[in-house]
Structure formats: structure tokens, C-alpha cells
Amino acid sequence: MKSFQTVCLLLATAGLVAAQQYTISTVAGIPGVAGLYPLPGDVTPTLATVGHLYHPSTVAVDSKGNFYIADSYTYSIRMVTLTTGNIATIAGNGQPGSGGDDGSATQASIFDVHGIAVDSHGDIFISDTSTCRIRRIDNPATNTTPKIATFVGSSKGPYCGASSTSPLSSPGALAFDSKGNLYVADYNSSTVRMITTAGVVSTFAGTGTYGNTGDGGAASKAALAYPVTLAFDAAGNLYIGDEGNNNIRKVDTGGNISTVTTGVSPLGLGVDGSGNLYFVDGVSSSVRKILPTGGIVVIAGNGLPGGAVVDSVPGNQASLALPSGLAVAPDSGIYVADTMNNVIRRIVAVPGSLGFQDAASQLPGSSLAGGSISPGEILTLFGSGLGPATLTQATIGTNNTFPTQIAGASVTFNGIPAPMIFASSSLVAVAVPYGVSGSAKAAVSLTYQGKTFTTSIPVVATTPAVFTANTSGSGQAAALNQNLSVNSTTIPAKLGSTIVLYATGAGFTTNAVDGQQAPSTCGVQLPVTVKIGNQYVNPSYAGCAPTLIAGVIQINAQIPATIIPGAVQVQVLVNGYPSQSGVTIAVTQ
């Protein structure tokens, strides 16, 4: 049996999320104005915000914060220098084509570039997709007239096909690992290729057969569909945006592949220094952030493809027009190619703002939006610099009481100290004090090392959410069978037996004390029902979970004998308000 403390740590990450505040600004291009070639900046220095772009599709950032743009309809690569804010063309003569290798990059012709990456020397690599090549541009920061050359593929043609010297089919997104190897999303071949510094090409992920298999095994034996974007994290894990399967997959440092999230259309990927994953969602024209807990929040884009470019609004209220490429800068600023608006936007977190993981915020699919909290709810706050660099669990005090401070981090709701479960730089888990009951909103304040982070969250009577086994808020429920074994596909519950569910957000309970182990005489005040499959069941027990922190609710319910066995959907309803959809229990005859 896991300890009281460990169980609470696991449960604390099972809610859903609402976005931290972000701001958005235009850093290159003139909104709505089609670009031209050459740029004014190619003759005299010109600020990027008055330089024309024409359907920018891909963006990349180097280690110094300079960023690079594939400007689709001018067939050129632009560079914006961080220190000056000026824009200039570093490759492409404005005409589609394939010539010019070994000469000046600005005199060469390029065509449809779907990937840009910068190596440790500052050299720029582009995927010249139509000619099945990877081309290299000399570091434009140290070369006044950078040259261009073919790194992989034929420099003279034929470029693609059986007689080509390139094993690449349709090279797209590019990403470097820490050793200098270049990875290519070869999307039409359903593979990710690795190219060594010597130019040797091998298959890193995908069998070449269109599909979606292989999780838990070697990436080279897994099936991908249409990989279009790539990003490495600081630990060396590679993330693959597979648009054909509407998912994001991860290849760990051991070469094994898994699925991070599904139900998304990832067109651009990036990872910040804290391990947060960002992506452009092509369906909703938005930029989203995946938290370490698995929840997804919108940080930019109002879900409507188009509209006027306005920078004086929060990021999630801004309009984006079919955005595509994304890159994360060394300072964690996020650049996104707002393609049909002809601009590059920059998204940054508002200093001192907090996001919160909320139990009643799920929308269809795996995308989440903001909601409310309820008294006693287990809640996760997220941001940057919130607590110690290493996740630190609470030390349980006398009477099994959780502390109100961990490693110098503390949280209050309307001035009431909150019991804390764990604290880290990006995530802090707490239990909402019961004293917020009756308030319309809770003013949340987190303090750490002299810094204060705040947010305001609406308070309602109940926000039910069922805990899940993978802490993401969806999939297999964190549930026990009647014999107290853990419910799973290998140990399913039998028809007619009792299933034990765990939830939070049930609202005010009897006899509960903030931060203490729940007493045996602690019940939910509002009526509770359980939906198993398509049938509603009155639970035999709905109250505080014995030995766990007050705010965690246990529900015992009998599985109807007439439902169809398998992965059965389950929801807990408190006062008629349902928990999130997409949670299942395993049932057998």
C-alpha cells in the first residue's frame, strides 16, 4: 500500500487546467500586407516590424536569440537580429528554383522550405523540400556574404526519385540534438531520419509504412503517418508532431516511443528550458502548451482562423490566421509564424501570473479551458519560478496534517493558508481551503523567495473530477476493484461487483479539516450519482477517502450487470454536475 503522502502526490496532478496569462506582440512583418522582394532591409537597415513578409511558414531561433523565417511566397530566408531588431534576407533571390549552390546564398534560388534549424556553429540548415535536399547556409552573423551548399542530396539534379543521391522523400521540419546530429521529418515516407555531422543518413523513427503502432517499443519499429514537426527537450527526448495521426509522440533517450497526446493537429513544436511543450494546433489556429501533468492550455489564439492582428489583448484572445511554424527562444519567449496575417508573433508569460489545474474545465477532446474551483478541491498551480528546482513533497506533521509551506513556498486563498502537497519550480499542488465556501472568487497568492504570483479564480459549490491512473485527467481511472486490487485491463472488475473511484471537487464536506487526514465520519453534502456506461447508479458510499487528505472523495458503486464489458466510460455527478468525460474502468463478465 502506498503511503498517505505518496498517494496524495499522485492524486494532486489529476485535475484539468486553465491558462497562465500570456501577452502577444508582432515582431516581424506588417499585418495583412503581402510581402515583397527584396526587403528594404537588404539595402538599408530596416526594423523587422516594418519589413514585408509574405506567408511566413517556418521559424527557428539560434542560441543568441536571433530568429530566422522561411518566407514562403518570396522564396527566401529572412533573419531578424535580436540586438537591433533589424530584418534582412540571408538566402534566396526571390525566384523559385534550385540553383546557386556553392555561391552567395542571396543569389541562389530556393523553393518550398518546410524546415529551418541552426547548429552550434551558427550555420543555418534548411529543408529544400521540392528537391529532396538539405542545404546549409554559412553563419550569417559572422559572414557578410554567406554561401549556400547542399548538405544531403544532389546539388545538380535530378533531385528526387530513383536516380537521386538523396534518400529523403519530402524533408520537412529539422532539429539538432546535443551531439550535432540533424533530424528530419521526412513526412511523405512516414519516417524521421537522422543525419550525422558527416552527412550519413539513417532512419531514426518509423518503418516507412503509414500507421500508428509501436508505443512502448523501439521508434525504428513503430509506424508513423505524416510527421511534420520536431523538437528536442533539454534531456535529449525527441518530440514528433504526427499530423496524420493527430498526435504528438515522444522518443526517449533509449530510443523507445510513446504517445504524449492525441486529438491535436500539431504543425509546429517547441520545448522550453523547464520541459514545457508548445505546439501550433492547425485545426483551431491556436498555440497550446502541454503541462508536465498532461493537461493542455491555450496560450494564444481565440480559435477563430483570421481576424485583425491586435497585440493589446491577452494571448488567448488574439486572432491568428492559420499559424504554422513555432520556435522557443533561449529566454522562453515563443515565436509563431502567423502565416496568413504575414507576420511573426512573439508570446511571453506575464511575470507573476499563475495558471491553475482545475477540476471542471474539460472540453471535447484533450484540449482544456479555464473554469472554477470548489472548497477542498485538490488543485495544481503552474508557472515559472514558483518553488524549488527539485520537486519537494510535503513532510506530514502531527495528526497527519499537511504543512502550509514547502521549501519556502506558500499559497493563500482569500488570505487563508492552503495545505500544500508538493512544490517545484513549475508546479505547486495544494488543497483549496474550505474557508472559500460562499465566496464568488478566490484571490490566490503564491509566495516564494520574495516573489509573489497571483491569480483570481471563480468559486462554485462543486467541480467534480475523477482521478486517473496516468494523472492526465483522461483514460484509465485510478480505481480499485471490490477485492481492493487496482483496476486495469489486466485486472478488470466483474459485472455486478463494486468499483471504488477517487475524485475531488465535490465541494463542502462534513467534519473535514483543511490539510488533515479525512475523518471516518466525513460525507459529501451534495447528492452524488455515478454514470457507468449509459446507466446511472446510486453509490453505496460517497464521502471522504479514509487515510487521504480532506478534499479527496471516495465513491463506491456497483457496476450494472447489463453493461457491455470492456473499457467502460465512468463519470461522477455531484448535484447533477458531471466530472470530465474520457475516463474509463476495465470491466469483464
Side-chain angles (χ1 to χ4, degrees):
M1 175 68 74
K2 293 183 177 68
S3 69
F4 174 39
Q5 180 177 349
T6 302
V7 171
C8 288
L9 172 64
L10 294 172
L11 295 183
T13 58
L16 308 176
V17 289
Q20 184 181 7
Q21 296 177 43
Y22 284 78
T23 58
I24 189 168
S25 60
T26 299
V27 292
I30 303 174
V33 177
L36 51 83
Y37 184 93
L39 277 172
D42 297 335
V43 180
T44 58
T46 300
L47 287 175
T49 49
V50 294
H52 298 72
L53 298 176
Y54 199 176
H55 293 179
S57 60
T58 303
V59 62
V61 186
D62 67 19
S63 60
K64 296 181 179 179
N66 306 309
F67 62 95
Y68 304 84
I69 307 161
D71 199 27
S72 297
Y73 279 33
T74 64
Y75 309 103
S76 62
I77 306 297
R78 318 283 202 180
M79 174 184 176
V80 178
T81 303
L82 178 66
T83 54
T84 63
N86 291 336
I87 190 170
T89 300
I90 61 166
N93 59 16
Q95 299 297 318
S98 56
D101 266 4
D102 302 319
S104 169
T106 55
Q107 298 301 309
S109 53
I110 60 177
F111 199 7
D112 52 340
V113 173
H114 286 86
I116 307 176
V118 187
D119 71 7
S120 60
H121 304 292
D123 295 332
I124 315 300
F125 289 72
I126 63 174
S127 56
D128 202 341
T129 307
S130 64
T131 61
C132 304
R133 286 185 293 169
I134 305 300
R135 301 172 83 178
R136 182 184 63 239
I137 304 162
D138 294 336
N139 185 342
T142 57
N143 293 275
T144 55
T145 307
K147 293 185 177 182
I148 190 170
T150 293
F151 177 55
V152 169
S154 171
S155 61
K156 301 183 181 301
Y159 299 107
C160 302
S163 60
S164 170
T165 60
S166 173
L168 303 175
S169 171
S170 299
L174 302 175
F176 278 101
D177 67 15
S178 60
K179 298 178 181 179
N181 300 307
L182 181 62
Y183 294 74
V184 185
D186 197 17
Y187 54 90
N188 270 341
S189 71
S190 301
T191 59
V192 174
R193 313 284 194 180
M194 184 184 82
I195 307 175
T196 66
T197 55
V200 178
V201 182
S202 62
T203 298
F204 177 76
T207 61
T209 300
Y210 189 101
N212 184 22
T213 61
D215 270 5
S220 59
K221 296 181 180 179
L224 304 174
Y226 201 65
V228 296
T229 183
L230 304 172
F232 276 98
D233 66 16
N237 303 301
L238 177 65
Y239 294 87
I240 304 169
D242 192 346
E243 190 183 16
N245 285 318
N246 295 120
N247 66 18
I248 297 172
R249 300 178 83 176
K250 169 184 167 182
V251 183
D252 63 25
T253 54
N256 293 319
I257 193 167
S258 60
T259 298
V260 174
T261 191
T262 60
V264 296
S265 179
L267 299 183
L269 282 176
V271 186
D272 67 17
S274 298
N276 296 301
L277 180 64
Y278 304 86
F279 69 96
V280 172
D281 188 73
V283 172
S284 62
S285 287
S286 64
V287 179
R288 299 174 180 248
K289 175 180 179 179
I290 302 178
L291 302 177
T293 56
I296 303 177
V297 294
V298 176
I299 64 169
N302 57 18
L304 303 176
V309 174
V310 179
D311 291 332
S312 58
V313 296
N316 58 8
Q317 297 178 23
S319 295
L320 299 174
L322 301 181
S324 50
L326 179 147
V328 179
D331 65 356
S332 294
I334 301 152
Y335 292 97
V336 60
D338 193 357
T339 303
M340 300 308 291
N341 278 326
N342 298 318
V343 293
I344 303 297
R345 316 284 289 275
R346 177 176 161 88
I347 307 161
V348 295
V350 175
S353 67
L354 282 172
F356 66 95
Q357 191 165 6
D358 168 60
S361 306
Q362 188 170 20
L363 297 177
S366 57
S367 301
L368 312 172
S372 305
I373 61 169
S374 59
E377 180 180 352
I378 308 301
L379 195 69
T380 303
L381 305 173
F382 64 89
S384 179
L386 307 182
T390 302
L391 188 146
T392 305
Q393 298 185 38
T395 299
I396 310 303
T398 58
N399 299 321
N400 281 330
T401 302
F402 277 72
T404 56
Q405 185 181 97
I406 296 177
S410 61
V411 181
T412 61
F413 288 72
N414 290 343
I416 306 170
M420 299 184 67
I421 299 169
F422 67 77
S424 70
S425 178
S426 58
L427 293 171
V428 173
V430 299
V432 178
Y434 284 99
V436 304
S437 180
S439 302
K441 286 188 175 182
V444 184
S445 178
L446 185 152
T447 303
Y448 179 68
Q449 291 187 342
K451 296 181 180 179
T452 299
F453 305 81
T454 61
T455 190
S456 180
I457 311 176
V459 178
V460 294
T462 181
T463 54
V466 174
F467 293 113
T468 58
N470 63 4
T471 74
S472 71
S474 63
Q476 171 67 46
L480 300 180
N481 298 319
Q482 185 168 306
N483 63 1
L484 301 184
S485 60
V486 177
N487 182 258
S488 66
T489 55
T490 56
I491 312 176
K494 292 186 177 181
L495 292 172
S497 67
T498 295
I499 191 76
V500 180
L501 303 171
Y502 293 91
T504 190
F508 206 82
T509 55
T510 59
N511 299 325
V513 177
D514 286 340
Q516 289 191 7
Q517 181 176 337
S520 57
T521 56
C522 174
V524 179
Q525 291 189 337
L526 296 170
V528 178
T529 56
V530 181
K531 185 179 181 183
I532 302 177
N534 61 358
Q535 299 186 43
Y536 291 87
V537 177
N538 290 319
S540 57
Y541 174 81
C544 296
T547 76
L548 298 184
I549 190 171
V552 178
I553 306 301
Q554 177 178 323
I555 304 99
N556 301 351
Q558 186 177 26
I559 301 170
T562 54
I563 66 170
I564 299 174
V568 178
Q569 298 278 333
V570 63
Q571 285 181 295
V572 172
L573 294 87
V574 181
N575 205 31
Y577 292 95
S579 61
Q580 76 272 29
S581 60
V583 179
T584 61
I585 56 173
V587 179
T588 189
Q589 289 184 337

